[in-house]
Amino acid sequence: MVTHIDSGKAQTEVSSSKLRLAVTSALFAALTFVGTFIIKVPTVTNGYIHPGDGFVILSGVFLGPLWGGLAAGFGSMLSDLIGGYITYVPATFIIKALVAVIAAGITALIQKLIQNKKNVVPVIAGGVIGEIFMVVGYFVFETFLAVFTTGNGFTATSFNSALAASAAGIPANIIQGVFGIIISAVLYPILRPLVNKAFN
């Protein structure tokens, strides 16, 4: 009889934990969306700089690679979808999800090495590596997007032209990445106790 009670209690705790994880993931997806969609600084490449990458990084750090990746990817993708950047939707989902995955992995590795989860340095390191991937990811995507939307086919000339056009967006993406890292570093010590409380 005691076994049944203990088993039922354990199952309830597992279900409650999964629910809290899902709710927190939805919250971070919403924060990522708001940070990406609401505050925009237009760039010369018809894109925009935003603070949403800070929440992309924190999604991975707080929620881990799976849930963090989904929250970051979905929140960022939703901004492109509503904002009219339809061609960017699949690339944004994949790139931003992977930024969160990278940030989660690097942060967790360094935290394990230094045995300190309060230190913000692992978050910064994870953010730097993740944002480098973001810059490279969008450069590659925009290069091939430019090649295949010109109507001239894949030629050396069209490829070189696409490389030059895509390279123009790199500085803006770097600035966005730097802001994202700063925001994640500032918010990490503030949000960490709140997130920990949600899971305890």
Side-chain angles (χ1 to χ4, degrees):
M1 191 71 178
V2 174
T3 304
H4 277 302
I5 294 173
D6 289 344
S7 176
K9 184 179 179 181
Q11 287 179 352
T12 301
E13 288 176 353
V14 169
S15 298
S16 177
S17 177
K18 287 182 178 179
L19 179 60
R20 287 196 296 269
L21 180 58
V23 170
T24 308
S25 299
L27 175 61
F28 271 92
L31 288 171
T32 301
F33 167 73
V34 170
T36 305
F37 188 76
I38 301 300
I39 307 170
K40 297 179 182 178
V41 179
T43 66
V44 295
T45 57
N46 294 322
Y48 58 92
I49 299 171
H50 57 80
D53 276 33
F55 293 106
V56 168
I57 294 168
L58 291 174
S59 291
V61 170
F62 285 130
L63 300 171
L66 177 58
W67 287 93
L70 289 173
F74 186 78
S76 300
M77 174 198 75
L78 191 60
S79 177
D80 276 354
L81 185 63
I82 295 175
Y85 294 88
I86 305 300
T87 54
Y88 278 78
V89 167
T92 289
F93 179 82
I94 294 170
I95 292 170
K96 293 304 175 75
L98 288 176
V99 169
V101 169
I102 292 168
I106 298 295
T107 301
L109 177 62
I110 298 175
Q111 284 178 337
K112 187 175 181 180
L113 289 173
I114 67 174
Q115 294 294 307
N116 187 346
K117 291 190 175 183
K118 292 182 179 180
N119 195 321
V120 76
V121 172
V123 177
I124 294 172
V128 168
I129 303 301
E131 293 302 323
I132 289 173
F133 173 82
M134 181 273 290
V135 172
V136 174
Y138 274 114
F139 172 71
V140 172
F141 170 73
E142 288 171 353
T143 297
F144 283 95
L145 182 65
V147 168
F148 293 110
T149 55
T150 57
N152 297 325
F154 190 86
T155 64
T157 302
S158 66
F159 184 67
N160 290 333
S161 177
L163 281 175
S166 300
I170 290 177
N173 282 335
I174 290 174
I175 292 171
Q176 178 177 300
V178 170
F179 272 112
I181 294 163
I182 293 171
I183 289 166
S184 65
V186 171
L187 292 181
Y188 177 73
I190 299 171
L191 294 179
R192 183 177 174 274
L194 298 176
V195 174
N196 286 345
K197 185 177 180 181
F199 288 104
N200 290 330

